[in-house]
Amino acid sequence: MWTPSPPNLKVFKLLIIYYKMPVQQLTGRVISQGLGQGLGRLMNFGIGTEIIYSFVIIVCSLMIYFGTRELYELSKHKGIKYFRLSFLFFALAYFFRSFIKIILFYFNKQEIRTILPFFGNITLFIFVYFSIIAIFYLIYSVMHKKYKQKYIISLAHITAIIISIIMTLSGFPIIL
Amino acid sequence: MAKRNRLEIIKDILKIIQENHPIKPTPLLRRTNISSSRFKEYYLELLDKEFIKQTHGKNKKITLTKKGYKYLEKYLTIINFIDEFEL
């Protein structure tokens, strides 16, 4: 037969001591408040870091794109063309990525689709599409001499669109 | 002797014009050491892209434009960039 165990008197004594001691209580509140504020600052620091990180990536990518403009205009070399385009698309992808991050932070959500369904899907689609195209152009800038078929670029764009549509509509969690 | 690529041929043509300007098309063709059909292709391309200009009239002579001089200036940079990134 089950019998209840006697209350732990030691625990009660400690609780009474705790609540009778205002200094200890104050210290506990200060610690918890400090922790809360610290965590709050870390969260703000996180989004601030994200913005700075995205800004650096976008600026560097655009510097490469505009910096190689003269070289391309003079030579019309296809490798340089695709190399430039990849960094342009990287800049655009990171622009949309930072936009999504800011929206998520503002609304304190994990998925942009829950905040703005249609607009969120479009933004996600554009981000995924630009990311895939940027990677394709970077690889193709090195491989263009081997694969000279005209349809490769069109095929890459169509594939990127299909993948972007699938990822956007399937609800697959996109890690930004 | 290694085969020249497109950029190198353009550089050679522009260099010859720079050293001998103004120059007539036939002497230029002889000095570039390429076939007449290919020379015509490059010649029209350089005219189209405004790297060179030709005087009108009876004696057609070719000179470099500002863009042509710039190409010669930046040629090494372009080649190094392409080699560095293996483009």
Side-chain angles (χ1 to χ4, degrees), chain A residues 64 68 70-71 73-77 79-80 83 141-145, chain B residues 6-7 10 45 49 51 67 70-71 74 77-78 81-82 85-87:
Chain A
I64 292 169
T68 50
E70 195 182 29
L71 295 184
E73 274 176 7
L74 287 172
S75 64
K76 297 287 184 203
H77 191 269
I80 298 177
F83 185 79
S141 67
V142 179
M143 311 276 277
H144 72 99
K145 282 179 188 169
Chain B
R6 186 184 148 267
L7 294 176
I10 290 173
E45 188 185 338
K49 287 179 181 169
F51 279 28
K67 210 172 169 185
K70 206 159 200 180
Y71 180 90
K74 297 276 180 185
T77 311
I78 294 167
F81 185 86
I82 291 167
F85 291 101
E86 293 177 24
L87 300 176

Side-chain angles (χ1 to χ4, degrees), chain A residues 23-91:
Chain A
V23 174
Q24 278 182 353
Q25 216 174 12
L26 196 62
T27 311
R29 262 196 215 137
V30 164
I31 290 169
S32 62
Q33 276 173 4
L35 270 172
Q37 278 175 4
L39 276 170
R41 278 195 206 110
L42 266 175
M43 289 292 286
N44 289 336
F45 187 69
I47 193 66
T49 316
E50 275 289 343
I51 291 169
I52 292 167
Y53 170 73
S54 297
F55 179 74
V56 167
I57 299 277
I58 290 166
V59 165
C60 289
S61 299
L62 289 176
M63 274 173 67
I64 292 169
Y65 177 72
F66 289 111
T68 50
R69 190 177 70 158
E70 195 182 29
L71 295 184
Y72 175 66
E73 274 176 7
L74 287 172
S75 64
K76 297 287 184 203
H77 191 269
K78 284 197 173 147
I80 298 177
K81 176 186 174 185
Y82 301 133
F83 185 79
R84 292 180 72 225
L85 282 174
S86 76
F87 282 96
L88 175 66
F89 282 110
F90 269 130

Side-chain angles (χ1 to χ4, degrees), chain B residues 5-40:
Chain B
N5 61 33
R6 186 184 148 267
L7 294 176
E8 203 177 341
I9 293 172
I10 290 173
K11 174 215 122 204
D12 288 341
I13 294 172
L14 295 178
K15 196 106 181 136
I16 293 164
I17 299 171
Q18 187 191 33
E19 287 164 1
N20 301 284
H21 76 96
I23 187 169
K24 287 186 180 178
T26 311
L28 178 61
L29 164 64
R30 264 189 258 123
R31 286 177 202 231
T32 53
N33 203 23
I34 49 175
S35 66
S36 55
S37 54
R38 282 192 79 195
F39 174 79
K40 195 177 178 183

Side-chain angles (χ1 to χ4, degrees), chain A residues 108-133:
Chain A
N108 198 21
K109 296 276 183 184
Q110 297 296 317
E111 276 274 342
I112 195 166
R113 285 178 274 234
T114 54
I115 306 163
L116 308 154
F118 177 71
F119 188 70
N121 280 329
I122 295 282
T123 317
L124 272 170
F125 168 81
I126 292 171
F127 163 69
V128 175
Y129 172 70
F130 281 157
S131 305
I132 297 169
I133 285 297

